[in-house]
Amino acid sequence: MSDEMQKEVQRVLDAIASLGPDPEDPAERFKRLSVLLKDWPDLHKAVRAMRQDVANELHDGGMSYDAMGKLIGVTHSRARHIAKGITHPSRQKKEQTEDGGGPGS
């Protein structure tokens, strides 16, 4: 990861961390953290979709799932799941079996 990219990620992490410490007004801190948690599922979904798009861009450009996995410290299978948007492979497989079909049925 480039220094600039690492700094960008660190800014996001610092912004989240800054929501916690506020000894002067715990009620305000409580409200800020509640707003963040209320919006967190949508934010998480958006970041996951962005990562999936980039994974597909890399794969379409010729990068193997094995190489993608090595970039982020996961197996090639997990990298493939990321690119396909599979978040819980065993749960999704079970749901497909219970529904009587596979993907798209």
Side-chain angles (χ1 to χ4, degrees):
M1 182 179 317
S2 73
D3 285 344
E4 189 56 37
M5 288 174 26
Q6 182 59 40
K7 287 177 185 175
E8 186 176 329
V9 170
Q10 191 58 53
R11 281 192 295 270
V12 171
L13 296 174
D14 290 346
I16 292 170
S18 73
L19 295 171
D22 187 357
E24 299 301 317
D25 191 354
E28 189 60 34
R29 184 175 64 219
F30 180 72
K31 288 185 339 187
R32 285 193 318 253
L33 292 167
S34 295
V35 168
L36 175 64
L37 288 172
K38 178 183 147 294
D39 293 339
W40 194 260
D42 292 334
L43 295 168
H44 186 258
K45 183 178 180 180
V47 171
R48 199 171 52 239
M50 286 187 276
R51 182 178 67 168
Q52 181 181 354
D53 289 345
V54 174
N56 286 311
E57 181 181 338
L58 290 170
H59 192 256
D60 291 346
M63 183 178 279
S64 69
Y65 293 128
D66 189 52
M68 276 190 267
K70 287 178 181 171
L71 276 176
I72 60 171
V74 299
T75 65
H76 72 280
S77 294
R78 179 66 190 124
R80 181 183 160 282
H81 290 159
I82 290 168
K84 301 293 182 185
I86 300 169
T87 55
H88 300 285
S90 59
R91 183 185 326 161
Q92 288 171 335
K93 185 176 182 179
K94 181 180 176 185
E95 287 171 358
Q96 290 170 359
T97 302
E98 289 173 354
D99 291 342
S105 57

